[in-house]
C-alpha cells in the first residue's frame, strides 16, 4: 500500500528548532518529487517546500533560510528541518508525493495524515 | 503567482450544480490542480492539468480553463461532497494554493 506517515511534531518555543520526518511505504522517495505543505489552525493550505528527484530544492519565501528539506534514501524517509521557528509557523504539516508526468509536476497525489507543530512560549 | 478563489463559501443542496472559480494573477497555462479537504483530513487530489480527472474520482467532478481562469464544477452535489476545495498552481516551482471554498449544506 502506498502510504506516508509523518512524525516529529510537538510544542517548541519561538526561536527553537524541530525536525519532521515522513516515512514512505509502497514507493521510493528517492525517485519521486516530494513536498511539504502546511495548514495553520482554521486557515488554508500553504505550500512550504519541494525536493526534486535529482536533488534540487525550493522553498516558499515565508520559510526560506529557516527550513531545509532533505531525504534519507536508505530509510525511504523525507525530512523537514525547521529552525528559528516563529509563532506563525504553528500548523499541521503534511508531506506529499508530487505527481510527475510529461516533465512536469501536476499535483500531489499521496498525502500523509499530518503532524502538528505548535510554536509558543 | 497568486490564486483567487470565489466564492469563499457557498451553501447548496444535494443534487445542485456547483461551480467554483480560481483566477491566477498571471498565466499558468494548464498547470492547475483541484483538491478536496474534509475536516481533520489531508487534502485529496481531484483534478490535475486543469481538466484531467484523477483516478478514482467520480465523474460528477470536472475542471476547465487555461491561462488565468479556471473552474471546478460538481454536476450533482452529493452528501459526501460537502468539504473545502482548493486550487493549486504548478506552473513554476513555487506551488501556491488558492484561499479555499467551503461548500456547506443549505
Amino acid at each position: 500500500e502506498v502510504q506516508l506517515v509523518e512524525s516529529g511534531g510537538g510544542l517548541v518555543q519561538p526561536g527553537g528548532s524541530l525536525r519532521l520526518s515522513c516515512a514512505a511505504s509502497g514507493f521510493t522517495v528517492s525517485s519521486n518529487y516530494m513536498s511539504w505543505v502546511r495548514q495553520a489552525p482554521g486557515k488554508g493550505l500553504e505550500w512550504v517546500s519541494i525536493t526534486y528527484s535529482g536533488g534540487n530544492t525550493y522553498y516558499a519565501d515565508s520559510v526560506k533560510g529557516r527550513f531545509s528539506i532533505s531525504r534519507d534514501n536508505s530509510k525511504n524517509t523525507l525530512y523537514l528541518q525547521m529552525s528559528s521557528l516563529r509563532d506563525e509557523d504553528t500548523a499541521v504539516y503534511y508531506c506529499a508525493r508530487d505527481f510527475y508526468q510529461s516533465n512536469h509536476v501536476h499535483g500531489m497525489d499521496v498525502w500523509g495524515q499530518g503532524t502538528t507543530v505548535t510554536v509558543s512560549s | 503567482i497568486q490564486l483567487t478563489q470565489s466564492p469563499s463559501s457557498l451553501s447548496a443542496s444535494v443534487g445542485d450544480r456547483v461551480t467554483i472559480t480560481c483566477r491566477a494573477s498571471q498565466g499558468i497555462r494548464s498547470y492547475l490542480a483541484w483538491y478536496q479537504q474534509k475536516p481533520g483530513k489531508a487534502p485529496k487530489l481531484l483534478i490535475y492539468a486543469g481538466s484531467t480527472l484523477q483516478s478514482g474520482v467520480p465523474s460528477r467532478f470536472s475542471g476547465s480553463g487555461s491561462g488565468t481562469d479556471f473552474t471546478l464544477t460538481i454536476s450533482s452535489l452529493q452528501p459526501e461532497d460537502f468539504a473545502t476545495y482548493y486550487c493549486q498552481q504548478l506552473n513554476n516551482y513555487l506551488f501556491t494554493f488558492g484561499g479555499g471554498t467551503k461548500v456547506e449544506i443549505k
Side-chain angles (χ1 to χ4, degrees):
Chain A
E1 180 190 6
V2 172
Q3 193 175 7
L4 292 168
V5 178
E6 300 98 335
S7 61
L11 175 64
V12 60
Q13 292 188 336
S17 298
L18 207 58
R19 188 178 80 161
L20 306 183
S21 300
C22 171
S25 56
F27 71 98
T28 54
V29 165
S30 63
S31 57
N32 281 273
Y33 288 33
M34 300 291 298
S35 284
W36 287 94
V37 173
R38 68 184 181 183
Q39 187 168 35
K43 301 298 184 181
L45 301 171
E46 180 185 15
W47 175 82
V48 173
S49 179
I50 187 171
T51 179
Y52 289 5
S53 55
N56 287 2
T57 59
Y58 298 96
Y59 301 90
D61 288 344
S62 57
V63 306
K64 196 178 300 181
R66 301 187 299 121
F67 289 14
S68 177
I69 190 171
S70 63
R71 58 180 122 201
D72 184 332
N73 295 337
S74 67
K75 295 182 178 179
N76 207 26
T77 297
L78 178 74
Y79 299 102
L80 185 68
Q81 178 68 48
M82 306 184 294
S83 61
S84 302
L85 283 162
R86 307 166 180 167
D87 290 353
E88 56 265 33
D89 295 318
T90 294
V92 174
Y93 284 75
Y94 296 100
C95 63
R97 185 179 74 178
D98 294 290
F99 171 48
Y100 186 83
Q101 186 182 72
S102 303
N103 261 352
H104 206 94
V105 174
H106 290 284
M108 296 163 185
D109 64 346
V110 179
W111 293 70
Q113 83 289 352
T115 187
T116 300
V117 173
T118 303
V119 183
S120 175
S121 53
Chain B
I1 298 174
Q2 299 190 7
L3 298 178
T4 303
Q5 281 184 241
S6 61
S8 57
S9 66
L10 65 91
S11 295
S13 302
V14 172
D16 284 353
R17 181 182 182 90
V18 169
T19 299
I20 299 168
T21 65
C22 179
R23 174 163 288 176
S25 59
Q26 59 186 266
I28 58 171
R29 296 176 280 180
S30 295
Y31 295 124
L32 188 103
W34 290 97
Y35 298 85
Q36 176 193 67
Q37 187 181 34
K38 296 182 179 179
K41 300 294 187 183
K44 173 187 174 183
L45 179 64
L46 297 176
I47 287 169
Y48 63 93
S51 61
T52 304
L53 205 62
Q54 172 71 344
S55 176
V57 174
S59 59
R60 62 181 179 273
F61 291 93
S62 64
S64 65
S66 66
T68 60
D69 295 307
F70 299 84
T71 60
L72 172 71
T73 299
I74 309 172
S75 60
S76 177
L77 199 65
Q78 298 302 300
E80 60 267 32
D81 300 336
F82 291 96
T84 301
Y85 294 84
Y86 295 92
C87 57
Q88 181 195 29
Q89 70 81 19
L90 304 110
N91 186 59
N92 61 23
Y93 54 80
L94 301 180
F95 297 157
T96 47
F97 287 92
T101 297
K102 187 173 184 179
V103 177
E104 299 176 299
I105 301 172
K106 182 183 283 184

